[in-house]
Amino acid sequence: MERRQVLKALATGLVATAGFGLDANATPEQAAAIIKNLVGSGEVMESKVHIDAPAIAENGKTVPVSVSVDSPMSESDYVKSIHILAEKNPLPEVISVHLTPDSGAAELSMRTRLSKTQEITALAVMNSGAVHMARQTVKVTIGGCGG
Amino acid sequence: MSGKQRVKMPKTATKGEVIKIKTLASHPMETGFRKGKDGKPIPRNIINKFICRFEGKDVTVFNLFPSVSANPYLAFSARVHKSGTFEFEWTEDGGASTKLTKTINVT
């Protein structure tokens, strides 16, 4: 996956959001379009990717999310990028990480905002072009996208 | 770029070891979706890029979006083969950036 593809996907997201005004939330369709852009014509496998996030988040302003991918991270077999999507946030993208074999391990911990109860998606693009995915539902008591 | 940045990582490691790096930057990560008291939207201002480099070479590059919480915390890994300097760079909307360096002694 190339950076310009992500930018293109983001631009599409921005345009779509602008059309609905400031309070609009992204739709799962938008997230699906971004996923499709990342995956291309290949197949998505629901394996190798692990999401660690709370089942219930009291405060949507900071929800700890960890993603790890099973990979030896060697020169010949490594994870090229990890993408986290929150399909019901105003913009579905949360973070895109571009890794190299020197990243050592395909893992990431961060804190995300979640506007409402939703499913988070983590995608991992391997250097071979294969795409792996995992999803987890997080219940949000108080939304965290302001407004 | 205003605000403080912090990086926590080991000072020493053995050759080929995978180390853990934890970073924290103080930043409001203003989404651009919120409205101020005057009813006008508050302009977006987020850290949109974070790069971890070793000896001038990009190791891991992060693209951040408004969904990342304020004061972005990022924890990740890196494999070290030799002693050297890690450079961390945060870039916000508008292009202002801050760099922080940490050296590691690899035996």
Side-chain angles (χ1 to χ4, degrees):
Chain A
M1 211 265 327
E2 296 300 321
R3 189 167 302 158
R4 71 176 69 96
Q5 280 178 282
V6 176
L7 287 173
K8 215 160 105 190
L10 171 63
T12 319
L14 274 175
V15 170
T17 313
F20 291 103
L22 285 165
D23 301 322
N25 278 337
T27 60
E29 287 76 36
Q30 268 182 49
I34 291 163
I35 293 171
K36 210 178 159 210
N37 209 333
L38 292 171
V39 174
S41 55
E43 222 178 299
V44 188
M45 285 160 277
E46 299 215 3
S47 62
K48 289 195 180 182
V49 183
H50 311 282
I51 301 178
D52 185 12
I56 298 172
E58 279 189 15
N59 186 350
K61 275 186 176 167
T62 54
V63 183
V65 177
S66 294
V67 173
S68 64
V69 187
D70 301 332
S71 167
M73 294 304 276
S74 63
E75 291 290 336
S76 56
D77 181 8
Y78 65 96
V79 180
K80 242 168 82 176
S81 59
I82 298 174
H83 307 269
I84 303 179
L85 305 173
E87 58 185 25
K88 286 183 183 162
N89 274 7
L91 278 178
E93 288 104 329
V94 175
I95 196 165
S96 291
V97 188
H98 301 273
L99 305 117
T100 62
D102 281 341
S103 299
E107 55 185 24
L108 155 80
S109 296
M110 49 91 58
R111 294 177 190 138
T112 183
R113 291 177 170 131
L114 293 176
S115 60
K116 57 172 104 167
T117 298
Q118 58 181 296
E119 211 170 31
I120 354 182
T121 307
L123 285 157
V125 182
M126 308 293 169
N127 65 325
S128 63
V131 181
H132 295 265
M133 182 177 83
R135 286 184 196 269
Q136 195 195 316
T137 303
V138 178
K139 200 176 166 213
V140 178
T141 319
I142 305 166
C145 282
Chain B
M1 200 176 86
S2 59
K4 258 192 167 177
Q5 292 78 34
R6 281 191 290 171
V7 173
K8 208 172 175 184
M9 58 174 259
K11 287 188 174 72
T12 58
T14 53
K15 199 173 184 292
E17 192 183 332
V18 175
I19 59 160
K20 297 254 182 221
I21 302 172
K22 290 178 183 174
T23 72
L24 189 65
S26 73
H27 196 279
M29 296 294 279
E30 192 57 62
T31 61
F33 294 109
R34 293 201 311 151
K35 284 175 188 155
K37 281 191 181 128
D38 55 1
K40 286 186 184 143
I42 305 169
R44 178 183 132 151
N45 178 23
I46 66 163
I47 293 172
N48 57 45
K49 197 169 205 179
F50 171 70
I51 306 173
C52 165
R53 290 190 193 95
F54 183 71
E55 296 290 302
K57 198 175 155 232
D58 288 3
V59 176
T60 310
V61 178
F62 300 76
N63 291 322
L64 284 68
F65 295 93
S67 289
V68 177
S69 299
N71 304 327
Y73 162 82
L74 292 170
F76 51 97
S77 303
R79 187 177 282 136
V80 284
H81 302 284
K82 56 175 185 183
S83 300
T85 309
F86 274 98
E87 184 185 74
F88 304 94
E89 185 180 6
W90 292 262
T91 309
E92 67 178 6
D93 289 345
S97 71
T98 309
K99 285 178 187 171
L100 199 150
T101 56
K102 290 260 174 189
T103 53
I104 188 160
N105 203 350
V106 177
T107 49

